[in-house]
Amino acid sequence: MQFDPRTLINVSRDLTTGNSQAHLRSIINRAYYGVFGYLRNELLIYSEGSSVHRDVYETLIRSVSVNKQIAGKRLESFFVKRKEADYKHNLTFHSSSKEYYIKEAEEIIRLYNTPDDE
Amino acid sequence: MAETLTSISRFNSDSVIKEKRNTSKVASLDCVNYHYTTTGALNKDYAYSIELMRLGVRQKLNNQFHLQNDLIEIDFLVRNPEILTVVFEIKDAIIKEFGASEIALDLQSESVNWETLFIVVSTDAVWEKANSFINLLFKRLFKTQPEVANKVNLIIAPDAI
């Protein structure tokens, strides 16, 4: 059975029991890759290089569906936050933001799967 | 803004150079230094034209945004003047929705073809409030100004900056 990247969001939720910077940064990272991996599979994008994030984003914002375009913009913002969580070690992430990124991942998936008229 | 930039590009920069050389602000900027290191008249005019456009954008921004990288965001707005008006409209909407918040501009450049100006909002607003605001904003923007929607984005998060 093929791996469902959305289960990474469950792992992100499991990590909310911790409050360390490592936990908070991992929550953002796992939540991002949960939604990104899901959309990449849905859009049948099979590239694996660093440009794959851009490929997914551009495919979404070029969609005729406004909801998918919005999902693309929100994924782009999430990509920036994920990079900060992974690479900007001078930043401090607050424990109050734990649920924020999990909800963000779930909202992007909801937008992607919701027709414009709903 | 577009009107200002057009008039700047048509302007004979020599008169401005004489006038502005006496002011310390302009004389300390990069492009003026560039002028002093070159001898070509074309380079001189180009450098001053760019510098005047930068000043125009900076005056328009009027210190209402924190610039993460300063000149990088200014130059992006010089290249994309149509975004300036939208940035202010978004800022006004942010203040109305979230109260007085610290708002920053941060150009993220992942590659030549992937450049986005992020409006970054530091706020303790709950996700639900930010969520509906972002969805409504981009719904309007994609319908009315899709080219601008492609070039700007928004980060509203508790640990935004």
Side-chain angles (χ1 to χ4, degrees):
Chain A
M1 188 176 160
Q2 186 174 314
F3 173 67
D4 182 351
R6 287 175 296 182
T7 57
L8 292 173
I9 300 171
N10 299 336
V11 174
S12 188
R13 192 173 288 106
D14 292 343
L15 288 166
T16 58
T17 52
N19 286 315
S20 70
Q21 283 297 299
H23 280 93
L24 299 173
R25 289 166 185 271
S26 300
I27 286 167
I28 295 171
N29 179 291
R30 293 297 81 193
Y32 172 79
Y33 276 104
V35 60
F36 164 75
Y38 171 72
L39 294 175
R40 175 176 165 266
N41 290 348
E42 284 287 309
L43 297 168
L44 306 176
I45 295 170
Y46 298 114
S47 56
E48 294 180 355
S50 58
S51 66
V52 65
H53 298 275
R54 180 186 155 204
D55 293 343
V56 171
Y57 161 71
E58 291 220 328
T59 304
L60 287 168
I61 64 162
R62 285 178 187 162
S63 169
V64 292
S65 156
V66 173
N67 278 347
K68 285 185 171 61
Q69 289 174 325
I70 297 170
K73 295 308 289 185
R74 295 183 75 145
L75 187 74
E76 186 188 35
S77 291
F78 210 163
F79 175 65
V80 171
K81 293 307 294 182
R82 196 276 297 168
K83 282 198 304 177
E84 285 183 356
D86 286 349
Y87 301 117
K88 291 198 173 176
H89 297 167
N90 57 322
L91 296 179
T92 302
F93 287 84
H94 305 301
S95 58
S96 58
S97 67
K98 283 191 288 193
E99 291 294 328
Y100 195 100
Y101 298 103
I102 295 168
K103 287 178 181 174
E104 188 65 15
E106 291 171 339
E107 173 65 6
I108 293 170
I109 291 173
R110 187 196 70 78
L111 281 165
Y112 179 81
N113 288 316
T114 305
D116 280 356
D117 53 354
E118 289 181 23
Chain B
M1 191 67 234
E3 195 177 302
T4 308
L5 292 175
T6 306
S7 64
I8 284 168
S9 64
R10 286 177 187 161
F11 205 84
N12 178 355
S13 58
D14 280 344
S15 61
V16 176
I17 292 163
K18 285 174 191 167
E19 187 183 325
K20 294 288 184 183
R21 256 182 199 161
N22 297 324
T23 65
S24 57
K25 275 186 182 175
V26 174
S28 67
L29 293 171
D30 291 346
C31 274
V32 178
N33 293 334
Y34 171 70
H35 160 66
Y36 286 127
T37 59
T38 60
T39 52
L42 185 64
N43 285 342
K44 179 186 71 177
D45 281 349
Y46 175 75
Y48 275 99
S49 177
I50 291 289
E51 192 52 47
L52 287 171
M53 286 191 279
R54 283 174 175 167
L55 282 171
V57 168
R58 209 180 282 281
Q59 282 170 0
K60 180 83 176 175
L61 289 175
N62 194 25
N63 294 322
Q64 293 187 55
F65 299 90
H66 169 74
L67 303 178
Q68 291 293 84
N69 308 287
D70 197 59
L71 212 50
I72 293 174
E73 284 83 22
I74 295 282
D75 281 352
F76 180 79
L77 289 167
V78 167
R79 293 197 305 275
N80 301 279
E82 73 281 6
I83 291 177
L84 255 177
T85 308
V86 176
V87 162
F88 275 93
E89 287 171 3
I90 294 172
K91 181 187 79 77
D92 290 344
I94 287 167
I95 290 171
K96 193 175 176 184
E97 186 72 22
F98 300 103
S101 303
E102 185 179 333
I103 301 172
L105 299 179
D106 184 10
L107 185 74
Q108 293 284 328
S109 184
E110 195 63 25
S111 66
V112 178
N113 299 319
W114 191 7
E115 272 191 332
T116 305
L117 184 69
F118 279 83
I119 300 166
V120 185
V121 186
S122 239
T123 175
D124 55 2
V126 294
W127 177 84
E128 284 75 10
K129 195 170 180 180
N131 174 49
S132 55
F133 181 84
I134 295 168
N135 284 348
L136 187 60
L137 173 78
F138 277 108
K139 195 172 186 177
R140 285 180 185 164
L141 214 48
F142 272 114
K143 282 187 176 172
T144 57
Q145 298 182 76
E147 285 306 311
V148 171
N150 289 345
K151 293 176 185 172
V152 298
N153 207 338
L154 198 57
I155 292 179
I156 300 174
D159 44 21
I161 297 175

